[in-house]
Amino acid sequence: MSATRPRFSVIVPVYNRPSEVTDLCESLLAQTEKNFELVVVEDGSTVPCQDIVETAAAKGLRCKYFFKENEGRSIARNYGLERAEGDYFVFFDSDCVIPPDYFATLSKELDKKPLDCFGGPDAAHDSFTTTQKAINYSMTSFLTTGGIRGGKVQLEKFVPRTFNMGFSRDVYDRTGGFREMFSEDIDMSTRIRQGGFSIGLIRPAFVWHKRRVDFRRFFRQVYVFGMSRITLKLLYPDSLKAVHLLPAVFVLGSLALIILGILVSPWFFVPLGLYFLAIFAGALISTHSLKIAFLAVPAALIQLGGYGLGFIKAFTTKILLGRGRNEAEEINIRKGKNER
């Protein structure tokens, strides 16, 4: 690595999120390790953040800003990849805030155990709203996700996601960029693993992730996640694991228990009550907040219900009715266009 070349290039696609970019830049300015550059790709925003990036640059942050027409976050990330200089590419969402020792920790861990591709968990900052904290608990709890997003106990191999993900230049040169699809980060991680590259979780390198600020948008997000899991199944037949079925099982099982509770006996409501009581207790122990614990219950219901409904719909239309084959073929065609 040359004296002027950054070790890490941070690539962030942005669409109408100036306030988030402000917080992100401030957190990057506070890093104790400075050997990185920030590459912001404005994806056709009507409310651009160029002045925010330029202000951060004037304060000493090594930045590149690009504006392009709106084509989607995958193409925006690839645009940034083509213009980044680092030996490693690191991806954050614009709604992330980065702890001050993130890059110091990342450098130390990679020096100790080199990885081709890596990722870290996410957490809620003290400044986040109670709804954001409840959503964060739901998205990271073993009771709702099986620990697959970087938990200490996991039901599936860790898969880096672009709210906190990185890979080497060699990975990019040999694997290509992101494909234009939902869950493009899981697709990218899968192709990296299939290419024989090493992938690891760096648990101390976490980010604070704001996520969705209300339950309506959270439902829409997890609904799309559920649908995209079937798209991944079409692309990678062996990728669907038992843990991915659990939200759909939850939806169908809850419906059955509710019907039985109404028509047969109220005792059928007990399993649901005990499950949500466990979520409440877990959130209370984790956050020490009654309000967050109460909100964690509807957050978990929305997460599991939204994902499960999206999964069931996509499974029915794309697998049972066979309407997903063309979609998989189109994604594979776009893959060829993205490869270098």
Side-chain angles (χ1 to χ4, degrees), residues 21-97:
V21 174
T22 298
D23 292 342
L24 175 62
C25 286
E26 288 298 323
S27 69
L28 291 175
L29 279 164
Q31 292 298 303
T32 58
E33 169 62 60
K34 306 293 186 180
N35 197 11
F36 67 91
E37 65 171 352
L38 171 63
V39 181
V40 174
V41 182
E42 191 98 61
D43 189 35
S45 298
T46 56
V47 186
C49 64
Q50 182 174 2
D51 58 335
I52 296 167
V53 177
E54 290 176 349
T55 298
K59 293 179 180 179
L61 187 63
R62 185 170 179 174
C63 302
K64 293 178 182 176
Y65 173 87
F66 301 99
F67 187 96
K68 57 179 291 301
E69 64 177 317
N70 179 249
E71 296 178 284
R73 58 183 178 268
S74 290
I75 295 176
R77 288 192 184 102
N78 292 340
Y79 189 95
L81 278 165
E82 293 169 358
R83 291 156 177 80
E85 298 181 51
D87 295 318
Y88 288 94
F89 306 113
V90 177
F91 301 91
F92 298 137
D93 288 342
S94 62
D95 60 353
C96 288
V97 178

Side-chain angles (χ1 to χ4, degrees), residues 30-296:
Q31 292 298 303
T32 58
E33 169 62 60
K34 306 293 186 180
N35 197 11
F36 67 91
E37 65 171 352
L38 171 63
V39 181
V40 174
V41 182
E42 191 98 61
D43 189 35
S45 298
T46 56
V47 186
C49 64
Q50 182 174 2
D51 58 335
I52 296 167
V53 177
E54 290 176 349
T55 298
K59 293 179 180 179
L61 187 63
R62 185 170 179 174
C63 302
K64 293 178 182 176
Y65 173 87
F66 301 99
F67 187 96
K68 57 179 291 301
E69 64 177 317
N70 179 249
E71 296 178 284
R73 58 183 178 268
S74 290
I75 295 176
R77 288 192 184 102
N78 292 340
Y79 189 95
L81 278 165
E82 293 169 358
R83 291 156 177 80
E85 298 181 51
D87 295 318
Y88 288 94
F89 306 113
V90 177
F91 301 91
F92 298 137
D93 288 342
S94 62
D95 60 353
C96 288
V97 178
I98 316 305
D101 60 350
Y102 178 91
F103 284 102
T105 300
L106 187 58
S107 293
K108 177 182 176 182
E109 294 295 324
L110 289 175
D111 288 342
K112 184 168 58 177
K113 181 183 178 181
L115 291 167
D116 300 310
C117 177
F118 52 85
D122 56 341
H125 191 270
D126 289 341
S127 65
F128 291 1
T129 68
T130 51
T131 299
Q132 288 174 318
K133 291 175 181 177
I135 290 174
N136 181 81
Y137 174 79
S138 181
M139 289 291 284
T140 57
S141 171
F142 179 82
L143 290 172
T144 52
T145 65
I148 63 176
R149 300 175 71 91
K152 293 182 179 179
V153 180
Q154 301 177 358
L155 296 180
E156 183 197 18
K157 286 183 179 180
F158 173 69
V159 177
R161 291 168 168 82
T162 47
F163 61 79
N164 185 7
M165 174 185 184
F167 50 75
S168 68
R169 181 173 290 274
D170 186 46
V171 167
Y172 174 52
D173 289 340
R174 293 167 55 187
T175 306
F178 292 88
R179 296 203 272 191
E180 186 186 352
M181 57 181 289
F182 289 115
S183 294
E184 71 282 357
D185 46 5
I186 301 177
D187 169 75
M188 185 72 186
S189 295
T190 302
R191 288 189 283 125
I192 291 171
R193 195 182 299 277
Q194 288 181 343
F197 294 102
S198 60
I199 298 179
L201 166 65
I202 302 179
R203 188 168 282 114
F206 69 93
V207 301
W208 292 306
H209 195 185
K210 296 177 184 177
R211 302 189 183 279
R212 295 298 181 262
V213 296
D214 61 61
F215 286 149
R216 180 183 61 82
R217 282 183 281 184
F218 181 49
F219 174 85
R220 176 59 187 166
Q221 181 186 46
V222 293
Y223 182 84
V224 171
F225 286 169
M227 294 188 68
S228 65
R229 178 53 65 179
I230 297 302
T231 301
L232 292 167
K233 160 69 175 174
L234 292 169
L235 291 169
Y236 311 104
D238 296 332
S239 67
L240 190 64
K241 308 299 181 183
V243 66
H244 304 137
L245 303 174
L246 294 180
V249 172
F250 170 82
V251 170
L252 297 175
S254 297
L255 181 61
L257 289 172
I258 291 171
I259 293 173
L260 290 170
I262 294 173
L263 299 180
V264 179
S265 169
W267 284 103
F268 283 101
F269 291 118
V270 172
L272 282 176
L274 291 175
Y275 178 66
F276 287 117
L277 180 61
I279 290 173
F280 173 84
L284 182 61
I285 293 170
S286 176
T287 66
H288 307 289
S289 167
L290 274 172
K291 189 171 183 180
I292 295 173
F294 276 115
L295 287 174

